[in-house]
Amino acid sequence: MTQTYRLHYAPDNASLIIRLALEELGVPYDTALVDRAARAQRSPDYLRLNPMGLIPVLETPDGPIFETGAILLWLADRHGALGPGPQAPGRGAALKWLFFVSNTLHPALRMTFYPDAYTDGDADEQARLRAHAQARIKGHLDKLDVAAGDHPDLFDGDRPGIIALYLGPILRWMALYPEDHTAWFDLYDWPRLRALALGLERRASTAAAIRAEGLGPHPFSDPQPADPPEGSAT
C-alpha cells in the first residue's frame, strides 16, 4: 500500500535526519515548512502535532509522530528497511546505539547550542556548561568510533541505516554550531565516523537533501552553513 507522509521541517534541523530516511526508503512524502524565525513551532497548530514544540513531526496514517529516534524506528519497522527487524540477530545492537545517539549524544549537543536553556547562571556559567558538554561529547564520539568497528553494518554510510542517517547530520552540526565555538571538533579524530560521513555524501538521499535545504557539496565531512531556498536554519 502506498503511504504518503508529511514532514514538518526547518532547514538544517533534526528534520534533516528524517528527510534522509524518507529519501532512502523511496516513499512518497511532502513537506511543510516550520518557520523558526516566526517561532511557528510554538504556534497552536503546531503544538497540536507536537506539544513539545520541537522539530520534526512526521504525519503518518497512524497519526503524527515526534521525537527523531521514534520516527526513525517507526519508519524502519513499518517498511522493513534501514535496520534489523524485531526478530533479527542484530536488533539489540541497533537499538542500543540508536538510543545512545538519541538520548545521550543528541541532548549533549543541544547543551552546546543552548546553554542558557540549562542554567540560570551568567555567561561564564554557560561557557563552563558548554565546555563540559563538549568534553563529554568527545568521549561519546570515541565510543561510537569503536562501535563502528564492532558493528560496521550499523555505521555504514554507503548503505546507511537509521544510526548512520542520524549521525551524519549530528557530525555536521558539531562542525558548524554554535558559531565561533567549534574549534574543539575535528572529524579526523574519529576515522570510522569520518568514513560514515563520506559514504553518506555519496547517496542520492543526500543529494536530494542538499537541493531541498541548501546544504552545500560536502554537508557531513566538510560542511558549510545552510543556504536554504525557503525558511531559516536558526
Side-chain angles (χ1 to χ4, degrees), residues 9-16 19 33 36 169 172-173 175-177 179 206 208-220 222-234:
Y9 90 104
D12 210 11
N13 279 237
S15 49
L16 170 60
R19 183 191 292 277
L33 177 68
R36 290 194 59 184
R172 168 184 173 78
W173 300 327
L176 287 178
Y177 307 117
E179 191 176 352
T206 297
I210 288 171
R211 291 191 298 270
E213 303 195 18
L215 302 180
H218 306 288
F220 309 122
D222 187 18
Q224 60 191 47
D227 183 19
E230 65 173 359
S232 169
T234 58

mmCIF file of all heavy atoms in Angstrom, residues 9-16 19 33 36 169 172-173 175-177 179 206 208-220 222-234:
data_model
loop_
_atom_site.group_PDB
_atom_site.id
_atom_site.type_symbol
_atom_site.label_atom_id
_atom_site.label_comp_id
_atom_site.label_asym_id
_atom_site.label_seq_id
_atom_site.Cartn_x
_atom_site.Cartn_y
_atom_site.Cartn_z
ATOM 1 N N TYR A 9 9.229 20.449 8.782
ATOM 2 C CA TYR A 9 10.677 20.591 8.813
ATOM 3 C C TYR A 9 11.086 22.047 8.874
ATOM 4 O O TYR A 9 10.327 22.965 8.557
ATOM 5 C CB TYR A 9 11.287 19.948 7.565
ATOM 6 C CG TYR A 9 11.435 20.899 6.392
ATOM 7 C CD1 TYR A 9 12.683 21.428 6.052
ATOM 8 C CD2 TYR A 9 10.335 21.303 5.640
ATOM 9 C CE1 TYR A 9 12.828 22.312 4.994
ATOM 10 C CE2 TYR A 9 10.474 22.181 4.584
ATOM 11 C CZ TYR A 9 11.722 22.681 4.261
ATOM 12 O OH TYR A 9 11.848 23.572 3.228
ATOM 13 N N ALA A 10 12.323 22.256 9.307
ATOM 14 C CA ALA A 10 13.042 23.514 9.125
ATOM 15 C C ALA A 10 14.409 23.156 8.578
ATOM 16 O O ALA A 10 14.971 22.111 8.933
ATOM 17 C CB ALA A 10 13.166 24.287 10.433
ATOM 18 N N PRO A 11 14.967 23.976 7.699
ATOM 19 C CA PRO A 11 16.259 23.616 7.093
ATOM 20 C C PRO A 11 17.348 23.387 8.135
ATOM 21 O O PRO A 11 17.464 24.138 9.111
ATOM 22 C CB PRO A 11 16.586 24.833 6.217
ATOM 23 C CG PRO A 11 15.271 25.483 5.950
ATOM 24 C CD PRO A 11 14.453 25.250 7.182
ATOM 25 N N ASP A 12 18.113 22.330 7.923
ATOM 26 C CA ASP A 12 19.274 22.031 8.749
ATOM 27 C C ASP A 12 18.909 21.865 10.221
ATOM 28 O O ASP A 12 19.703 22.177 11.107
ATOM 29 C CB ASP A 12 20.364 23.097 8.586
ATOM 30 C CG ASP A 12 21.762 22.527 8.802
ATOM 31 O OD1 ASP A 12 21.893 21.297 8.872
ATOM 32 O OD2 ASP A 12 22.716 23.328 8.899
ATOM 33 N N ASN A 13 17.719 21.366 10.466
ATOM 34 C CA ASN A 13 17.289 20.991 11.802
ATOM 35 C C ASN A 13 17.199 19.468 11.878
ATOM 36 O O ASN A 13 17.532 18.763 10.921
ATOM 37 C CB ASN A 13 15.947 21.636 12.129
ATOM 38 C CG ASN A 13 16.080 23.081 12.581
ATOM 39 O OD1 ASN A 13 15.646 23.453 13.665
ATOM 40 N ND2 ASN A 13 16.658 23.925 11.748
ATOM 41 N N ALA A 14 16.744 18.944 12.997
ATOM 42 C CA ALA A 14 16.668 17.490 13.165
ATOM 43 C C ALA A 14 15.787 16.834 12.107
ATOM 44 O O ALA A 14 15.932 15.641 11.827
ATOM 45 C CB ALA A 14 16.180 17.147 14.561
ATOM 46 N N SER A 15 14.900 17.599 11.513
ATOM 47 C CA SER A 15 14.080 17.076 10.419
ATOM 48 C C SER A 15 14.924 16.603 9.241
ATOM 49 O O SER A 15 14.482 15.762 8.447
ATOM 50 C CB SER A 15 13.095 18.144 9.951
ATOM 51 O OG SER A 15 13.745 19.386 9.728
ATOM 52 N N LEU A 16 16.154 17.109 9.108
ATOM 53 C CA LEU A 16 17.050 16.650 8.053
ATOM 54 C C LEU A 16 17.271 15.142 8.157
ATOM 55 O O LEU A 16 17.352 14.436 7.138
ATOM 56 C CB LEU A 16 18.383 17.400 8.148
ATOM 57 C CG LEU A 16 19.537 16.901 7.278
ATOM 58 C CD1 LEU A 16 19.179 16.953 5.799
ATOM 59 C CD2 LEU A 16 20.804 17.711 7.567
ATOM 60 N N ARG A 19 14.246 13.480 6.715
ATOM 61 C CA ARG A 19 14.236 13.631 5.250
ATOM 62 C C ARG A 19 15.150 12.589 4.609
ATOM 63 O O ARG A 19 14.777 11.941 3.622
ATOM 64 C CB ARG A 19 14.683 15.039 4.852
ATOM 65 C CG ARG A 19 14.614 15.270 3.339
ATOM 66 C CD ARG A 19 15.298 16.550 2.930
ATOM 67 N NE ARG A 19 14.625 17.742 3.373
ATOM 68 C CZ ARG A 19 13.594 18.318 2.733
ATOM 69 N NH1 ARG A 19 13.113 17.757 1.630
ATOM 70 N NH2 ARG A 19 13.062 19.425 3.197
ATOM 71 N N LEU A 33 6.936 23.602 5.765
ATOM 72 C CA LEU A 33 7.961 24.413 6.407
ATOM 73 C C LEU A 33 7.479 24.920 7.762
ATOM 74 O O LEU A 33 6.378 25.451 7.888
ATOM 75 C CB LEU A 33 8.329 25.595 5.519
ATOM 76 C CG LEU A 33 9.352 26.579 6.091
ATOM 77 C CD1 LEU A 33 10.727 25.927 6.212
ATOM 78 C CD2 LEU A 33 9.432 27.840 5.236
ATOM 79 N N ARG A 36 10.974 28.926 11.723
ATOM 80 C CA ARG A 36 11.566 29.165 13.032
ATOM 81 C C ARG A 36 11.723 30.650 13.327
ATOM 82 O O ARG A 36 11.646 31.069 14.489
ATOM 83 C CB ARG A 36 12.921 28.468 13.128
ATOM 84 C CG ARG A 36 12.827 26.956 13.193
ATOM 85 C CD ARG A 36 14.130 26.346 13.634
ATOM 86 N NE ARG A 36 14.538 26.839 14.942
ATOM 87 C CZ ARG A 36 15.689 26.509 15.528
ATOM 88 N NH1 ARG A 36 16.548 25.717 14.914
ATOM 89 N NH2 ARG A 36 15.996 26.976 16.712
ATOM 90 N N PRO A 169 24.011 14.058 10.074
ATOM 91 C CA PRO A 169 23.689 15.443 10.428
ATOM 92 C C PRO A 169 24.289 15.898 11.754
ATOM 93 O O PRO A 169 24.707 17.057 11.883
ATOM 94 C CB PRO A 169 22.155 15.432 10.470
ATOM 95 C CG PRO A 169 21.777 14.367 9.487
ATOM 96 C CD PRO A 169 22.813 13.294 9.694
ATOM 97 N N ARG A 172 27.700 16.986 11.197
ATOM 98 C CA ARG A 172 27.634 18.279 10.513
ATOM 99 C C ARG A 172 27.485 19.414 11.525
ATOM 100 O O ARG A 172 28.220 20.410 11.476
ATOM 101 C CB ARG A 172 26.444 18.276 9.545
ATOM 102 C CG ARG A 172 26.074 19.630 8.985
ATOM 103 C CD ARG A 172 24.824 19.579 8.110
ATOM 104 N NE ARG A 172 24.409 20.927 7.734
ATOM 105 C CZ ARG A 172 24.987 21.641 6.774
ATOM 106 N NH1 ARG A 172 26.001 21.149 6.101
ATOM 107 N NH2 ARG A 172 24.561 22.867 6.500
ATOM 108 N N TRP A 173 26.546 19.268 12.431
ATOM 109 C CA TRP A 173 26.244 20.360 13.364
ATOM 110 C C TRP A 173 27.384 20.613 14.336
ATOM 111 O O TRP A 173 27.608 21.753 14.745
ATOM 112 C CB TRP A 173 24.945 20.053 14.108
ATOM 113 C CG TRP A 173 23.776 19.889 13.183
ATOM 114 C CD1 TRP A 173 23.566 20.540 12.002
ATOM 115 C CD2 TRP A 173 22.681 18.993 13.343
ATOM 116 N NE1 TRP A 173 22.400 20.109 11.418
ATOM 117 C CE2 TRP A 173 21.829 19.154 12.214
ATOM 118 C CE3 TRP A 173 22.313 18.067 14.317
ATOM 119 C CZ2 TRP A 173 20.643 18.429 12.057
ATOM 120 C CZ3 TRP A 173 21.136 17.342 14.155
ATOM 121 C CH2 TRP A 173 20.321 17.531 13.040
ATOM 122 N N ALA A 175 30.446 20.547 13.605
ATOM 123 C CA ALA A 175 31.438 21.351 12.891
ATOM 124 C C ALA A 175 30.985 22.786 12.656
ATOM 125 O O ALA A 175 31.826 23.657 12.407
ATOM 126 C CB ALA A 175 31.757 20.692 11.549
ATOM 127 N N LEU A 176 29.675 23.039 12.759
ATOM 128 C CA LEU A 176 29.137 24.350 12.380
ATOM 129 C C LEU A 176 28.626 25.195 13.545
ATOM 130 O O LEU A 176 28.709 26.420 13.492
ATOM 131 C CB LEU A 176 27.976 24.160 11.396
ATOM 132 C CG LEU A 176 28.313 23.731 9.973
ATOM 133 C CD1 LEU A 176 27.027 23.542 9.180
ATOM 134 C CD2 LEU A 176 29.211 24.755 9.290
ATOM 135 N N TYR A 177 28.072 24.560 14.562
ATOM 136 C CA TYR A 177 27.314 25.302 15.566
ATOM 137 C C TYR A 177 27.808 24.958 16.970
ATOM 138 O O TYR A 177 28.237 23.825 17.214
ATOM 139 C CB TYR A 177 25.826 24.956 15.464
ATOM 140 C CG TYR A 177 25.243 25.121 14.094
ATOM 141 C CD1 TYR A 177 24.727 24.027 13.396
ATOM 142 C CD2 TYR A 177 25.202 26.364 13.471
ATOM 143 C CE1 TYR A 177 24.184 24.171 12.137
ATOM 144 C CE2 TYR A 177 24.666 26.512 12.206
ATOM 145 C CZ TYR A 177 24.155 25.409 11.543
ATOM 146 O OH TYR A 177 23.623 25.550 10.287
ATOM 147 N N GLU A 179 28.280 29.019 16.212
ATOM 148 C CA GLU A 179 29.325 29.759 15.519
ATOM 149 C C GLU A 179 30.348 30.275 16.518
ATOM 150 O O GLU A 179 30.011 30.753 17.594
ATOM 151 C CB GLU A 179 28.706 30.924 14.751
ATOM 152 C CG GLU A 179 29.643 31.613 13.795
ATOM 153 C CD GLU A 179 28.953 32.695 12.975
ATOM 154 O OE1 GLU A 179 27.713 32.793 13.048
ATOM 155 O OE2 GLU A 179 29.670 33.405 12.256
ATOM 156 N N THR A 206 21.262 12.121 0.091
ATOM 157 C CA THR A 206 21.965 13.347 0.466
ATOM 158 C C THR A 206 21.871 14.385 -0.637
ATOM 159 O O THR A 206 21.687 15.583 -0.353
ATOM 160 C CB THR A 206 23.430 13.028 0.794
ATOM 161 O OG1 THR A 206 23.480 12.165 1.932
ATOM 162 C CG2 THR A 206 24.210 14.298 1.104
ATOM 163 N N ALA A 208 19.418 14.823 -2.628
ATOM 164 C CA ALA A 208 18.074 15.400 -2.518
ATOM 165 C C ALA A 208 18.002 16.394 -1.367
ATOM 166 O O ALA A 208 17.392 17.463 -1.485
ATOM 167 C CB ALA A 208 17.052 14.286 -2.339
ATOM 168 N N ALA A 209 18.628 16.060 -0.250
ATOM 169 C CA ALA A 209 18.619 16.959 0.900
ATOM 170 C C ALA A 209 19.408 18.235 0.620
ATOM 171 O O ALA A 209 19.014 19.332 1.044
ATOM 172 C CB ALA A 209 19.180 16.248 2.125
ATOM 173 N N ILE A 210 20.515 18.098 -0.093
ATOM 174 C CA ILE A 210 21.308 19.278 -0.466
ATOM 175 C C ILE A 210 20.456 20.243 -1.281
ATOM 176 O O ILE A 210 20.450 21.460 -1.031
ATOM 177 C CB ILE A 210 22.563 18.854 -1.255
ATOM 178 C CG1 ILE A 210 23.578 18.181 -0.336
ATOM 179 C CG2 ILE A 210 23.197 20.058 -1.957
ATOM 180 C CD1 ILE A 210 24.747 17.531 -1.067
ATOM 181 N N ARG A 211 19.727 19.713 -2.259
ATOM 182 C CA ARG A 211 18.873 20.572 -3.091
ATOM 183 C C ARG A 211 17.762 21.212 -2.273
ATOM 184 O O ARG A 211 17.451 22.404 -2.439
ATOM 185 C CB ARG A 211 18.269 19.747 -4.238
ATOM 186 C CG ARG A 211 19.282 19.296 -5.277
ATOM 187 C CD ARG A 211 18.578 18.723 -6.502
ATOM 188 N NE ARG A 211 17.775 17.541 -6.177
ATOM 189 C CZ ARG A 211 18.239 16.293 -6.207
ATOM 190 N NH1 ARG A 211 19.507 16.060 -6.537
ATOM 191 N NH2 ARG A 211 17.443 15.275 -5.930
ATOM 192 N N ALA A 212 17.154 20.446 -1.397
ATOM 193 C CA ALA A 212 15.990 20.936 -0.655
ATOM 194 C C ALA A 212 16.358 21.939 0.427
ATOM 195 O O ALA A 212 15.579 22.849 0.727
ATOM 196 C CB ALA A 212 15.235 19.756 -0.032
ATOM 197 N N GLU A 213 17.563 21.790 1.020
ATOM 198 C CA GLU A 213 17.889 22.580 2.206
ATOM 199 C C GLU A 213 19.142 23.426 2.046
ATOM 200 O O GLU A 213 19.565 24.083 2.989
ATOM 201 C CB GLU A 213 18.008 21.655 3.424
ATOM 202 C CG GLU A 213 16.727 20.842 3.648
ATOM 203 C CD GLU A 213 16.646 20.188 5.013
ATOM 204 O OE1 GLU A 213 17.389 20.614 5.924
ATOM 205 O OE2 GLU A 213 15.827 19.262 5.173
ATOM 206 N N GLY A 214 19.750 23.424 0.853
ATOM 207 C CA GLY A 214 20.900 24.287 0.606
ATOM 208 C C GLY A 214 22.093 23.973 1.484
ATOM 209 O O GLY A 214 22.687 24.869 2.084
ATOM 210 N N LEU A 215 22.486 22.694 1.521
ATOM 211 C CA LEU A 215 23.490 22.246 2.483
ATOM 212 C C LEU A 215 24.927 22.352 1.977
ATOM 213 O O LEU A 215 25.862 22.151 2.752
ATOM 214 C CB LEU A 215 23.215 20.796 2.887
ATOM 215 C CG LEU A 215 21.837 20.531 3.494
ATOM 216 C CD1 LEU A 215 21.708 19.050 3.841
ATOM 217 C CD2 LEU A 215 21.598 21.395 4.722
ATOM 218 N N GLY A 216 25.130 22.602 0.693
ATOM 219 C CA GLY A 216 26.487 22.656 0.165
ATOM 220 C C GLY A 216 26.968 21.289 -0.278
ATOM 221 O O GLY A 216 26.346 20.261 0.000
ATOM 222 N N PRO A 217 28.118 21.229 -0.969
ATOM 223 C CA PRO A 217 28.541 19.991 -1.643
ATOM 224 C C PRO A 217 29.023 18.887 -0.716
ATOM 225 O O PRO A 217 28.988 17.711 -1.086
ATOM 226 C CB PRO A 217 29.666 20.462 -2.566
ATOM 227 C CG PRO A 217 30.189 21.700 -1.922
ATOM 228 C CD PRO A 217 29.003 22.360 -1.282
ATOM 229 N N HIS A 218 29.519 19.213 0.459
ATOM 230 C CA HIS A 218 30.054 18.205 1.387
ATOM 231 C C HIS A 218 29.420 18.413 2.764
ATOM 232 O O HIS A 218 30.094 18.815 3.716
ATOM 233 C CB HIS A 218 31.572 18.308 1.473
ATOM 234 C CG HIS A 218 32.253 18.246 0.141
ATOM 235 N ND1 HIS A 218 32.337 17.081 -0.600
ATOM 236 C CD2 HIS A 218 32.862 19.210 -0.605
ATOM 237 C CE1 HIS A 218 32.970 17.319 -1.728
ATOM 238 N NE2 HIS A 218 33.291 18.597 -1.759
ATOM 239 N N PRO A 219 28.134 18.115 2.896
ATOM 240 C CA PRO A 219 27.396 18.557 4.083
ATOM 241 C C PRO A 219 27.804 17.883 5.380
ATOM 242 O O PRO A 219 27.537 18.433 6.465
ATOM 243 C CB PRO A 219 25.943 18.227 3.737
ATOM 244 C CG PRO A 219 26.025 17.148 2.716
ATOM 245 C CD PRO A 219 27.262 17.441 1.925
ATOM 246 N N PHE A 220 28.439 16.712 5.325
ATOM 247 C CA PHE A 220 28.776 15.987 6.548
ATOM 248 C C PHE A 220 30.272 15.945 6.836
ATOM 249 O O PHE A 220 30.673 15.990 7.994
ATOM 250 C CB PHE A 220 28.216 14.560 6.475
ATOM 251 C CG PHE A 220 26.754 14.520 6.113
ATOM 252 C CD1 PHE A 220 26.326 13.834 4.994
ATOM 253 C CD2 PHE A 220 25.825 15.206 6.865
ATOM 254 C CE1 PHE A 220 24.984 13.814 4.646
ATOM 255 C CE2 PHE A 220 24.477 15.202 6.529
ATOM 256 C CZ PHE A 220 24.053 14.498 5.410
ATOM 257 N N ASP A 222 32.690 18.130 5.339
ATOM 258 C CA ASP A 222 33.287 19.467 5.281
ATOM 259 C C ASP A 222 32.157 20.489 5.124
ATOM 260 O O ASP A 222 32.030 21.141 4.081
ATOM 261 C CB ASP A 222 34.268 19.554 4.121
ATOM 262 C CG ASP A 222 35.053 20.858 4.107
ATOM 263 O OD1 ASP A 222 35.096 21.544 5.152
ATOM 264 O OD2 ASP A 222 35.600 21.210 3.049
ATOM 265 N N PRO A 223 31.338 20.631 6.150
ATOM 266 C CA PRO A 223 30.092 21.395 5.983
ATOM 267 C C PRO A 223 30.299 22.895 5.935
ATOM 268 O O PRO A 223 31.277 23.436 6.452
ATOM 269 C CB PRO A 223 29.284 20.998 7.219
ATOM 270 C CG PRO A 223 30.301 20.628 8.240
ATOM 271 C CD PRO A 223 31.435 20.006 7.472
ATOM 272 N N GLN A 224 29.343 23.544 5.306
ATOM 273 C CA GLN A 224 29.245 24.997 5.308
ATOM 274 C C GLN A 224 27.839 25.359 5.741
ATOM 275 O O GLN A 224 26.920 24.535 5.653
ATOM 276 C CB GLN A 224 29.535 25.554 3.916
ATOM 277 C CG GLN A 224 28.588 25.057 2.838
ATOM 278 C CD GLN A 224 29.051 25.421 1.431
ATOM 279 O OE1 GLN A 224 30.217 25.242 1.083
ATOM 280 N NE2 GLN A 224 28.140 25.919 0.623
ATOM 281 N N PRO A 225 27.626 26.572 6.246
ATOM 282 C CA PRO A 225 26.287 26.943 6.698
ATOM 283 C C PRO A 225 25.247 26.786 5.593
ATOM 284 O O PRO A 225 25.537 27.006 4.409
ATOM 285 C CB PRO A 225 26.443 28.411 7.116
ATOM 286 C CG PRO A 225 27.887 28.531 7.486
ATOM 287 C CD PRO A 225 28.631 27.629 6.522
ATOM 288 N N ALA A 226 24.055 26.395 5.985
ATOM 289 C CA ALA A 226 22.992 26.163 5.013
ATOM 290 C C ALA A 226 22.550 27.474 4.375
ATOM 291 O O ALA A 226 22.518 28.523 5.027
ATOM 292 C CB ALA A 226 21.802 25.492 5.702
ATOM 293 N N ASP A 227 22.200 27.365 3.112
ATOM 294 C CA ASP A 227 21.619 28.487 2.365
ATOM 295 C C ASP A 227 20.324 27.972 1.731
ATOM 296 O O ASP A 227 20.274 27.710 0.526
ATOM 297 C CB ASP A 227 22.595 28.990 1.309
ATOM 298 C CG ASP A 227 22.058 30.197 0.554
ATOM 299 O OD1 ASP A 227 21.122 30.859 1.066
ATOM 300 O OD2 ASP A 227 22.558 30.475 -0.553
ATOM 301 N N PRO A 228 19.287 27.815 2.537
ATOM 302 C CA PRO A 228 18.090 27.116 2.053
ATOM 303 C C PRO A 228 17.253 27.972 1.099
ATOM 304 O O PRO A 228 17.236 29.201 1.197
ATOM 305 C CB PRO A 228 17.314 26.824 3.338
ATOM 306 C CG PRO A 228 17.734 27.908 4.290
ATOM 307 C CD PRO A 228 19.174 28.194 3.957
ATOM 308 N N PRO A 229 16.544 27.303 0.186
ATOM 309 C CA PRO A 229 15.648 28.052 -0.711
ATOM 310 C C PRO A 229 14.425 28.612 -0.004
ATOM 311 O O PRO A 229 13.786 29.518 -0.516
ATOM 312 C CB PRO A 229 15.260 26.998 -1.770
ATOM 313 C CG PRO A 229 15.488 25.687 -1.109
ATOM 314 C CD PRO A 229 16.617 25.874 -0.164
ATOM 315 N N GLU A 230 14.090 28.071 1.157
ATOM 316 C CA GLU A 230 12.996 28.625 1.959
ATOM 317 C C GLU A 230 13.306 28.394 3.416
ATOM 318 O O GLU A 230 14.029 27.473 3.794
ATOM 319 C CB GLU A 230 11.657 27.973 1.604
ATOM 320 C CG GLU A 230 11.571 26.486 1.927
ATOM 321 C CD GLU A 230 10.168 25.914 1.727
ATOM 322 O OE1 GLU A 230 9.253 26.684 1.353
ATOM 323 O OE2 GLU A 230 9.984 24.711 1.970
ATOM 324 N N GLY A 231 12.798 29.279 4.262
ATOM 325 C CA GLY A 231 12.950 29.112 5.688
ATOM 326 C C GLY A 231 14.332 29.483 6.189
ATOM 327 O O GLY A 231 15.185 29.985 5.463
ATOM 328 N N SER A 232 14.545 29.209 7.483
ATOM 329 C CA SER A 232 15.780 29.584 8.152
ATOM 330 C C SER A 232 16.245 28.419 9.010
ATOM 331 O O SER A 232 15.444 27.737 9.646
ATOM 332 C CB SER A 232 15.552 30.815 9.035
ATOM 333 O OG SER A 232 16.667 31.052 9.887
ATOM 334 N N ALA A 233 17.561 28.198 9.032
ATOM 335 C CA ALA A 233 18.118 27.122 9.835
ATOM 336 C C ALA A 233 18.134 27.457 11.311
ATOM 337 O O ALA A 233 18.318 26.560 12.143
ATOM 338 C CB ALA A 233 19.530 26.800 9.359
ATOM 339 N N THR A 234 17.974 28.724 11.673
ATOM 340 C CA THR A 234 18.037 29.110 13.088
ATOM 341 C C THR A 234 16.846 29.963 13.450
ATOM 342 O O THR A 234 16.128 30.468 12.572
ATOM 343 C CB THR A 234 19.324 29.891 13.373
ATOM 344 O OG1 THR A 234 19.378 31.053 12.524
ATOM 345 C CG2 THR A 234 20.534 29.026 13.145
#
